[in-house]
Amino acid sequence: MGTPMSLPVLLADSRALPVTPLIVFLAGPHAETIARIWPAPHEDFLMLPSARRHAAAILALRDGYTAQRVQWLASRARDGELAVELFGSHPPGGVMKALGRMGEALWTEAAYAQFFGLFRDEAARQLIRHMADIQSAVLSVVAALPALLRRPSIVAALGPDMEAARCLVAAWNMALHIRGEGAGADIARQFARAKDATALFEMALSAIQPPAFGETTAVPTLPAPFSPVRRMEHLQAVALEMRNCLRDYAPALASGRMALWIWQGGGGPVAVALWRDTGGWRLAEALGQDNADVPDEVLHEILPVLRQVGIRAGEPWHLLRSQLTDQVHKAQDLQGATRPAASMRQRLYLGYLWD
C-alpha cells in the first residue's frame, strides 16, 4: 500500500475521489473521509458490521491514525482492542454492543462526542445499555436531564423530544425550589412510575404545586452592594436617577408582591425587580439607566447572590404550568386520545365576570 500516511495528511489531499450515493446516504458528513480510506466502490467498508463502521468514523475523526491503521482496526481488531482504541486503556464494558445499536447511518462528530461523555458515566451507561435502539436525539435528551431523572421510564416517555425534556427539567427545578433539595429523590421516584408522557407531565404539574395554601414568603434581604427601595420618596428619587417609569410600580410594591433593589456594584446602578408568584420570589427584571439592558458579566455577578437567598431566575410559575399543560395535551394527541367536546354550559363561558 506504499508509505503509511497519517489521516490528516490524507484528508488534506485536494483531489476529489468518487463517492457513491450509498456512502453519501450512510456516512453523511463523513462521506469524503470514508471514501479516502475505502475508495469506491467502498465494498470493504459496506461489508463491516454497523458497530465497526461507527468505530471507523470515530477513529477517522482523530489525529494520529493512518488510513491503513483505521482499515485494519475496523476490519481485523478484536472488539476489546477496538474498545481500547476508542476509550483508552480501561474502556467501559459493552462499547461495541452499544455501537451496534446506533443504526446504520453514521452520526455527526458532536453526537459521537455526546455518546462518549454519557458512556463514561456509570448511571448513564446503564441506561444506554437498556436501550434497544440508540438514537442521538434521545441521547441529547438524556444529557439534558439531571442525574436523578435519567431513568428508563422517564427517557422512554420523553423520547427524542428536547422541548419536552426542557419543560420537565424546568418543572424539576421549580419543584426543588418549592419543596427543597431533599425532596429530589422522592420526586424522581414518582416521575419514574409514569407509564407514559401524559402521566409524567401530570405528575410534574402536581410536583410544582406548593404543598400548603396561603403561605407567603417574606421579602428577601440582599447584602451590599444591593440597596433596598422601601419608601415612596425613595422610589421617586430612584426613578429620577434611573430615568424610567419605576414610579408606576408603587401599588405592586405596596402590596408586597414586588420588591425593588438597586445594584450599586460593578456596572451599576441596576434596578433589580423581584416578583412573588406561586413559586416564591423570582427575578422579574434587571435594567440599567434609561431601561438599558444589563451586560452579561453584571448578570453573572447578580444571579449567584439572588440564588443564595432563595430567589430563582427563569419562567414565571403560571407560564411553566401552562407549558406543562400543553405537554399533557400534546402527549394525549400523540396517543390518539380525544378530548370530550365542550358542553353547552362550557361554550357559554359563564363565570368570566372579571376577565
Side-chain angles (χ1 to χ4, degrees):
M1 295 181 64
T3 304
M5 183 181 298
S6 67
L7 189 59
V9 176
L10 181 66
L11 297 181
D13 191 338
S14 61
R15 290 174 299 173
L17 293 177
V19 181
T20 64
L22 181 57
I23 283 294
V24 172
F25 175 75
L26 289 177
H30 314 294
E32 290 188 7
T33 300
I34 297 301
R36 292 182 187 280
I37 301 172
W38 285 276
H42 327 293
E43 67 273 12
D44 288 342
F45 176 76
L46 295 172
M47 290 173 64
L48 292 173
S50 62
R52 289 178 174 265
R53 292 202 298 270
H54 284 291
I58 294 167
L59 294 175
L61 291 168
R62 298 178 180 176
D63 294 337
Y65 285 90
T66 64
Q68 295 90 335
R69 178 67 174 164
V70 174
Q71 289 174 351
W72 188 89
L73 287 169
S75 61
R76 299 187 181 184
R78 291 176 296 181
D79 284 356
E81 293 172 332
L82 201 45
V84 168
E85 292 289 335
L86 293 170
F87 274 89
S89 57
H90 299 288
V95 174
M96 298 306 295
K97 288 183 179 179
L99 292 178
R101 300 198 304 275
M102 290 166 63
E104 296 296 325
L106 301 184
W107 291 12
T108 65
E109 184 174 1
Y112 283 131
Q114 184 168 256
F115 164 75
F116 272 77
L118 289 171
F119 211 73
R120 286 190 173 96
D121 176 75
E122 175 64 28
R125 183 164 64 250
Q126 294 300 327
L127 180 60
I128 292 171
R129 282 174 176 167
H130 286 89
M131 293 180 180
D133 298 302
I134 301 174
Q135 304 173 36
S136 61
V138 173
L139 291 192
S140 295
V141 166
V142 173
L145 295 176
L148 284 174
L149 296 186
R150 291 177 178 177
R151 304 191 179 210
S153 58
I154 294 175
V155 174
L158 294 172
D161 192 338
M162 182 57 77
E163 179 187 354
R166 292 193 184 102
C167 194
L168 185 67
V169 171
W172 165 261
N173 291 331
M174 180 71 78
L176 294 185
H177 182 81
I178 292 172
R179 299 169 184 268
E181 295 288 335
D186 287 340
I187 296 171
R189 281 192 292 268
Q190 181 187 17
F191 284 4
R193 290 195 292 268
K195 302 297 184 184
D196 52 34
T198 301
L200 177 61
F201 284 103
E202 285 175 345
M203 289 177 179
L205 278 166
S206 177
I208 68 168
Q209 177 63 52
F213 300 142
E215 292 186 356
T216 57
T217 309
V219 178
T221 299
L222 298 177
F226 285 96
S227 173
V229 177
R230 293 184 176 135
R231 300 184 63 83
M232 187 65 201
E233 55 268 26
H234 191 188
L235 177 65
Q236 292 173 336
V238 166
L240 288 173
E241 179 190 6
M242 302 296 293
R243 299 189 292 274
N244 59 22
C245 58
L246 280 173
R247 286 188 299 267
D248 296 345
Y249 292 95
L253 290 164
S255 72
R257 295 202 63 187
M258 179 179 174
L260 180 63
W261 295 75
I262 305 301
W263 166 264
Q264 301 288 4
V270 175
V272 177
L274 311 178
W275 192 267
R276 186 176 61 198
D277 61 14
T278 307
W281 289 97
R282 62 174 286 270
L283 174 64
E285 188 58 280
L287 292 172
Q289 290 179 314
D290 298 311
N291 289 331
D293 289 335
V294 177
D296 289 350
E297 54 269 22
V298 177
L299 286 176
H300 289 318
E301 282 192 65
I302 291 174
L303 287 173
V305 182
L306 299 184
R307 293 190 178 111
Q308 192 171 9
V309 297
I311 300 167
R312 74 181 198 278
E315 60 272 272
W317 186 91
H318 75 274
L319 180 58
L320 175 58
R321 186 180 187 280
S322 176
Q323 292 169 349
L324 291 171
T325 302
D326 288 344
Q327 289 295 331
V328 171
H329 293 161
K330 182 172 76 172
Q332 290 172 339
D333 291 342
L334 289 175
Q335 293 168 356
T338 57
R339 296 179 220 164
S343 67
M344 181 273 292
R345 272 188 169 277
Q346 289 171 327
R347 290 195 296 272
L348 289 176
Y349 287 92
L350 299 177
Y352 282 75
L353 242 111
W354 298 277
D355 291 357

